Amino acid sequence: MASIFFIDGSNSGKSQEIADSGLLLGRAASVDCMIDDPQVSSKHAQIECRDGTWVITDLESSNGTLVNDETITTVHLSEGDIVTLGDVKFMFRLTATSEAPPPEVVKKASKPKPEKLPKASEEDVRMVQQMRSRTDKIRDEVGKVIVGQIQVLDEVLMCMIAGGHALLVGLPGMAKTLMIRTIAKVLDMEFKRIQFTPDLMPTDITGTDVLETNRATGEKEFRFIKGPIFCNLLLADEINRTPPKTQASLLEAMQEKRVTAGTETYILDEPFFVLATQNPIEQEGTYPLPEAQLDRFMFNIWVGYPEEHEEEEIVGSTTMGALVEPECVLKQKDVIQLQEVVQKIPVSAHVIKYAIKLVRATRPEYDDSPKYTKDYVSTGAGPRAGQYLVLGAKARAVLEGRIHVSCRDIRSAAIPVLRHRIITNFAADSEGLTTMDIVNHLLEEVDEPGEEAYSDD
């Protein structure tokens, strides 16, 4: 009889014997070995004895099974092999023992191997070089339907190719829905819209199991009916109109790109984006998004009034009854490739230092924080803000056809990234200062790193 000893994760320090019938591992309560890790599927992997040899099989899990840091489908196990399921690691042992392996063995097994940074290929570089003209083409096609709002469009595109989600805040009638629908057409994405209401249920978004009769066998069985979240571009319209329970149904999809219904997990097709809208002035009967959920949105994009000449064009074009269909500029595979390219683009150390300086300048508890922050900020931005600043900057560089990132790119992403991650105090509210005022002030006050920072690149 064999056994496993958990090295890392929720079961760390525990051991379990493997019966002759095998061992089923997963997150469901019905398995032989339950692992409390959201990255582990309900029935993730199975260890069994075949012809006197122990074998582990991945059961088509969401995040895969690794043996000695190699992704596997089915593989024979040997003494001391390290198996990884999500954030959980365990060692396979040919004997049934509850004794822990020697400390040096555990330390060596639990130490992660350094990952090699992916490098952009020649095809990736060519695609980036073509993006300036493609970005102009996207603006032209969206401009056939939407007048103005170029900055809003650019920020949406930055967020999308960086792999994030955006919250669009603007007054009614600003064409937020029409813009998102048009972007979906230009980028060849399946588009779906959900109108959030107080009586909306989580299953109205994710989908639900229905009981039906199998025509072939005549037996009753459950079948999962996918909800509107199974698309490429989801518009969550007036997301603050629905209770927190329904708002939270988006969290797993936004973060993990998957949906769990009952004991089953379903992977969403790539690319997947959530663009949510909010009305900034009407608060009666609304449920403001919790700060933790706001932090899941990479960008907070403000959709303001159009210019006078733009408004004249809008009224003139929309009252004539003429409809213009935009053409597709990028395919889904192009968007996915752009997301991969954004991850591969290197960033100089001084650019990262500037991003971190900006984020830390929003936190009033530090002794070296700006006086402006100490006077007007209650809570500053968290570490995710620094990650999104760098990703947003890389996305902006790609849209402009560049493979290098500058501090100017960080500044361009600062307002949409930091606007919703700063909480003002009473002094700021009494003086009518908004988080956007604070970010603009910090952009002026926080200097870019000097020449000494370049020596670390």
Side-chain angles (χ1 to χ4, degrees):
M1 186 179 293
S3 63
I4 59 175
F5 180 84
F6 288 91
I7 298 170
D8 282 339
S10 57
N11 295 12
S12 181
K14 298 180 181 179
S15 63
Q16 182 162 344
E17 295 182 359
I18 305 175
D20 293 336
S21 58
L23 184 69
L24 180 61
L25 303 106
R27 193 155 48 90
S30 59
V31 301
D32 302 318
C33 181
M34 184 177 177
I35 299 175
D36 185 17
D37 185 332
Q39 298 185 58
V40 174
S41 299
S42 302
K43 296 180 180 179
H44 196 108
Q46 185 170 19
I47 301 176
E48 55 187 343
C49 188
R50 298 180 185 175
D51 299 327
T53 304
W54 290 101
V55 175
I56 184 170
T57 302
D58 180 78
L59 303 178
E60 297 183 354
S61 62
S62 301
N63 295 309
T65 300
L66 281 71
V67 175
N68 299 328
D69 293 320
E70 296 290 336
T71 303
I72 60 97
T73 302
T74 299
V75 72
H76 292 277
L77 289 173
S78 302
E79 174 70 25
D81 282 347
I82 304 300
V83 181
T84 304
L85 312 180
D87 289 332
V88 173
K89 285 186 177 182
F90 62 81
M91 179 183 292
F92 175 77
R93 311 180 77 178
L94 288 171
T95 57
T97 175
S98 59
E99 296 181 3
E104 61 271 16
V105 175
V106 174
K107 183 177 180 181
K108 181 180 179 181
S110 61
K111 185 178 180 181
K113 294 183 178 180
E115 297 183 0
K116 294 182 180 179
L117 294 176
K119 294 184 178 180
S121 63
E122 293 183 3
E123 182 182 354
D124 294 333
V125 174
R126 285 195 299 270
M127 187 173 194
V128 172
Q129 293 171 344
Q130 297 170 358
M131 272 309 297
R132 176 180 287 275
S133 60
R134 287 189 173 188
T135 302
D136 291 338
K137 179 65 174 175
I138 292 173
R139 294 192 187 109
D140 292 340
E141 293 302 319
V142 174
K144 293 178 179 179
V145 182
I146 302 297
V147 178
Q149 304 292 6
I150 298 299
Q151 182 175 349
V152 174
L153 173 60
D154 287 351
E155 290 179 355
V156 170
L157 293 176
M158 286 169 59
C159 184
M160 292 176 73
I161 69 169
H165 310 282
L167 184 66
L168 276 70
V169 182
L171 298 172
M174 293 297 176
K176 298 186 292 293
T177 301
L178 181 60
M179 172 179 283
I180 297 172
R181 188 187 301 273
T182 305
I183 292 173
K185 291 181 180 179
V186 174
L187 300 185
D188 186 34
M189 294 185 184
E190 182 184 359
F191 170 80
K192 289 184 181 178
R193 174 180 176 271
I194 302 175
Q195 179 62 54
F196 280 72
T197 57
D199 60 347
L200 196 70
M201 298 295 291
T203 52
D204 295 330
I205 298 173
T206 59
T208 186
D209 288 311
V210 297
L211 184 64
E212 63 181 18
T213 303
N214 188 315
R215 294 183 179 181
T217 63
E219 297 179 352
K220 299 287 187 180
E221 59 182 21
F222 282 99
R223 182 168 66 91
F224 181 70
I225 304 297
K226 293 182 178 181
I229 201 169
F230 288 87
C231 64
N232 300 123
L233 184 55
L234 178 68
L235 170 59
D237 214 352
E238 294 189 288
I239 191 173
N240 58 335
R241 286 279 176 206
T242 200
K245 182 178 181 180
T246 305
Q247 293 173 354
S249 64
L250 289 173
L251 286 179
E252 183 184 21
M254 292 172 62
Q255 188 69 22
E256 308 292 342
K257 306 295 177 67
R258 65 184 186 181
V259 172
T260 299
T263 60
E264 297 297 328
T265 299
Y266 303 90
I267 305 300
L268 297 171
D269 292 336
E270 294 283 356
F272 174 74
F273 308 102
V274 173
L275 298 182
T277 68
Q278 277 192 174
N279 183 338
I281 59 171
E282 190 176 358
Q283 299 301 323
E284 184 176 353
T286 62
Y287 303 83
L289 288 171
E291 297 302 324
Q293 189 164 350
L294 276 175
D295 197 50
R296 302 283 181 176
F297 288 97
M298 178 178 177
F299 277 9
N300 181 307
I301 301 172
W302 175 259
V303 185
Y305 290 119
E307 300 292 337
E308 182 177 356
H309 69 279
E310 293 174 344
E311 197 161 359
E312 292 174 355
E313 185 178 346
I314 291 171
V315 173
S317 60
T318 56
T319 56
M320 297 295 185
L323 297 177
V324 181
E325 283 293 325
E327 297 178 2
C328 177
V329 178
L330 292 178
K331 296 293 185 180
Q332 292 183 22
K333 61 179 182 64
D334 297 326
V335 177
I336 295 173
Q337 184 179 353
L338 284 173
Q339 290 179 327
E340 295 172 352
V341 170
V342 167
Q343 294 289 337
K344 296 176 184 177
I345 289 180
V347 182
S348 298
H350 78 280
V351 175
I352 294 179
K353 287 180 180 179
Y354 179 58
I356 300 307
K357 283 180 65 177
L358 273 178
V359 173
R360 293 180 66 86
T362 67
R363 304 168 185 167
E365 61 266 26
Y366 298 142
D367 293 336
D368 57 348
S369 295
K371 183 178 182 302
Y372 194 84
T373 299
K374 295 180 181 293
D375 290 343
Y376 297 117
V377 175
S378 170
T379 304
R384 189 178 277 127
Q387 296 172 327
Y388 284 159
L389 274 177
V390 173
L391 283 173
K394 294 205 288 184
R396 185 178 189 271
V398 169
L399 288 176
E400 294 187 353
R402 294 183 282 111
I403 56 174
H404 63 276
V405 182
S406 67
C407 291
R408 181 172 60 89
D409 297 317
I410 297 289
R411 297 171 67 88
S412 70
I415 290 178
V417 167
L418 297 175
R419 177 191 281 133
H420 57 303
R421 292 184 165 85
I422 297 174
I423 302 177
T424 55
N425 58 20
F426 177 78
D429 297 340
S430 63
E431 295 186 26
L433 293 176
T434 65
T435 56
M436 186 171 176
D437 296 324
I438 292 170
V439 175
N440 282 325
H441 183 91
L442 293 178
L443 286 173
E444 295 178 359
E445 185 169 344
V446 177
D447 296 326
E448 296 182 12
E451 293 181 2
E452 70 282 355
Y454 290 80
S455 60
D456 297 333
D457 288 4

